[in-house]
Amino acid sequence: MDDIIVKTALVARTYLYRVFQAVFGDDPTEEVLAALFSDTTDQAVECFEAVDSIDFAKALALFAACRKGYAEDPAGYLEEAKQDYMHVLVGPEDLKAPPWECVYLTNERVLFQEATLKVREAYRSENMLPSQYPRVSDDHLAIELDFMVKLSEKTQKAFDEGDANEYRRLLSVQRSFLIDHPLAWVANYASDLSDAAPGSLYEGVGALCSAFLPIDVDVIGELLEEGERG
């Protein structure tokens, strides 16, 4: 695996985490949707399309349907996405797909549980805390994705600077975090999103994010093996 291939993979995975975080982190905007349904996103996704994953293929089909809806009526799609955002991520009614890890690990609709503290400790181990700490539960999907964005950016920097030890350390941290946290609940969350808002932006992106996570764990493993050989 030459440096260009490694660099391409690093950039692509950072970009995907960034767009996933943007979708689940705040109200949808014209800028977010334009970026999400851009050629850049297509190029990032293409880096992982060779992976033999039924879930990823299904997710790409859902995402393609979202992109088609957006292309046909960008303004209308945005308004619908705003309504769906309130429905699936804000309320005021009980959320059918609550975006917090602790809810899925305990089956209790109570925030700031033990699972939340474990996520917070992972952030602290890398000298990071959410900007809204301690008012927002640390195990919100958007915050976990933001953590992955920041770690991925640092990994790119370590690779560019030739800091092999830090590069491998950061990859290992990301793989452990993915396995211990997002992978433990995001598939169930994506399924709930599909039930709560079928055909929506959030069903499509939720499915794509969920399908990408296990692929990324494997990609990180390959990058680590390559780094050890290098």
Side-chain angles (χ1 to χ4, degrees):
M1 190 183 300
D2 63 31
D3 285 357
I4 294 177
I5 294 175
V6 172
K7 179 69 174 181
T8 299
L10 294 175
V11 171
R13 57 187 298 275
T14 300
Y15 176 84
L16 289 176
Y17 279 116
R18 190 177 293 119
V19 294
F20 293 152
Q21 193 281 331
V23 169
F24 289 103
D26 208 343
D27 299 68
T29 64
E30 292 180 13
E31 292 76 16
V32 166
L33 294 186
L36 177 66
F37 297 121
S38 68
D39 292 342
T40 304
T41 299
D42 287 346
Q43 291 165 7
V45 168
E46 285 172 3
C47 292
F48 308 98
E49 281 188 313
V51 176
D52 185 15
S53 167
I54 294 175
D55 289 339
F56 197 54
K58 290 180 177 177
L60 289 176
L62 285 172
F63 185 71
C66 291
R67 182 165 186 167
K68 182 175 183 292
Y70 171 75
E72 291 173 349
D73 182 9
Y77 193 88
L78 174 59
E79 287 308 309
E80 186 174 343
K82 288 180 178 178
Q83 294 175 20
D84 288 332
Y85 177 80
M86 295 299 296
H87 173 60
V88 301
L89 285 162
V90 179
E93 68 275 5
D94 287 341
L95 301 180
K96 294 181 180 180
W100 295 280
E101 177 179 323
C102 60
V103 174
Y104 285 89
L105 296 190
T106 65
N107 292 317
E108 297 178 6
R109 288 177 173 263
V110 180
L111 302 183
F112 297 100
Q113 300 184 53
E114 181 180 354
T116 311
L117 299 179
K118 290 181 179 179
V119 174
R120 182 178 300 170
E121 184 56 36
Y123 300 158
R124 281 179 167 163
S125 70
E126 294 298 315
N127 298 312
M128 299 182 201
L129 278 177
S131 60
Q132 298 185 56
Y133 168 84
R135 300 185 303 280
V136 176
S137 189
D138 309 61
D139 56 345
H140 190 289
L141 176 59
I143 298 177
E144 294 191 359
L145 292 171
D146 187 57
F147 185 56
M148 287 300 300
V149 171
K150 290 181 170 58
L151 290 177
S152 298
E153 290 172 342
K154 288 187 174 184
T155 303
Q156 284 183 232
K157 184 173 184 291
F159 179 78
D160 290 341
E161 294 177 350
D163 189 341
N165 290 334
E166 180 67 356
Y167 170 72
R168 289 193 295 268
R169 186 192 75 80
L170 287 165
L171 286 174
S172 295
V173 169
Q174 289 171 82
R175 183 170 61 176
S176 295
F177 182 78
L178 284 170
I179 292 170
D180 292 344
H181 297 290
L183 273 175
W185 68 283
V186 171
N188 290 333
Y189 175 61
S191 177
D192 284 350
L193 280 175
S194 181
D195 292 339
S200 72
L201 168 72
Y202 298 95
E203 179 190 30
V205 178
L208 188 59
C209 179
S210 174
F212 172 70
L213 295 180
I215 291 173
D216 193 38
V217 170
D218 290 342
V219 168
I220 292 172
E222 293 176 8
L223 292 173
L224 281 168
E225 290 179 5
E226 183 67 23
E228 290 172 0
R229 287 195 294 268

